[in-house]
Amino acid sequence: MREHVSSFLILYGTGEGQTAKIAERIAATIAERGHEASAIDVRDRPESFTLNEYDAAIVGASIHVGKHQDEVRDFVTENRDALSGMLSAFFQVSLSSANEEKHEEAAGYVESFITDTGWHPDRIGQFGGALRFSEYGFLKRLMMKQIAKDLLTEERKPGGDVEFTDWDAVDAFTADVAAFVEGRLGVAPDMTEDSTA
Ligand SMILES: Cc1cc2nc3c(=O)[nH]c(=O)nc-3n(C[C@H](O)[C@H](O)[C@H](O)COP(=O)(O)O)c2cc1C
């Protein structure tokens, strides 16, 4: 086993912040295993940004009106060769993943992302998102009530924010990606209490 830690990039696009929250959780879980992990909003990446300094890349995007963030799609298309040469994973956040009957729809979004970008990540995660009614304007609120009517059961507070993300599924995905990278790079996770990553 190699002595030094691995360096993970978690690069994401987000509309209302749920993908950012998931990316931060993934970064924290990876850091707990003793690796370096940086969660970066694709819109905020510095000009000097390069994939070269990372061992593994996890890219995340959410779905708005059937599409991922253009910035994520463009980034992946432009960096496809570099990403293909690295250990990599993709995760998608959508309401479709929160609804059993719409899992095929969610899988369809992933498929078009792969077809459009030509990037084949080593691992793929699909997570339910959130409804942030408190942050939507009038039209968005109407539209989302319509889109999510199957999910808004009576016990949920009307008009309140609702989170559908299964955090155990996020943690399981992260553990799987981390174990895959550790195996490929021959790096042991440092799970000791006082590990400082
Ligand atoms: C305007 C709008 C359109 C959306 N369209 C879709 C959609 O077409 N399919 C879907 O599964 N989820 C859709 N969603 C749900 C989002 O994917 C979900 O709210 C997710 O948590 C957004 O993540 P973000 O906050 O990181 O952008 C939509 C959400 C909004 C606000």
Side-chain angles (χ1 to χ4, degrees), residues 62-190:
S62 63
I63 296 291
H64 284 78
V65 201
K67 282 185 62 207
H68 301 90
Q69 282 77 23
D70 286 340
E71 293 88 346
V72 175
R73 185 179 294 256
D74 291 349
F75 176 85
V76 168
T77 306
E78 283 158 23
N79 292 278
R80 184 183 50 225
D81 291 346
L83 283 167
S84 300
M86 301 171 74
L87 302 169
S88 67
F90 174 63
F91 71 94
Q92 172 182 284
V93 181
S94 72
L95 273 191
S96 309
S97 282
N99 186 342
E100 289 248 339
E101 285 165 25
K102 296 201 169 169
H103 281 187
E104 256 183 55
E105 200 171 295
Y109 298 141
V110 172
E111 227 175 279
S112 2
F113 188 81
I114 287 172
T115 308
D116 291 356
T117 59
W119 171 49
H120 295 268
D122 297 304
R123 293 287 187 276
I124 292 171
Q126 297 180 57
F127 308 120
L131 288 168
R132 301 238 162 118
F133 287 110
S134 59
E135 287 174 31
Y136 302 154
F138 178 71
L139 278 180
K140 219 185 234 189
R141 194 171 304 170
L142 268 188
M143 179 172 141
M144 294 316 293
K145 268 193 186 150
Q146 186 57 30
I147 289 179
K149 62 177 184 304
D150 307 351
L151 293 172
L152 295 171
T153 52
E154 274 163 28
E155 65 265 24
R156 298 199 188 276
K157 222 170 74 205
D161 291 358
V162 202
E163 192 173 72
F164 298 99
T165 307
D166 177 346
W167 293 104
D168 289 342
V170 173
D171 291 345
F173 165 79
T174 309
D176 179 45
V177 172
F180 170 72
V181 172
E182 286 154 5
R184 284 297 180 92
L185 297 180
V187 181
D190 178 1

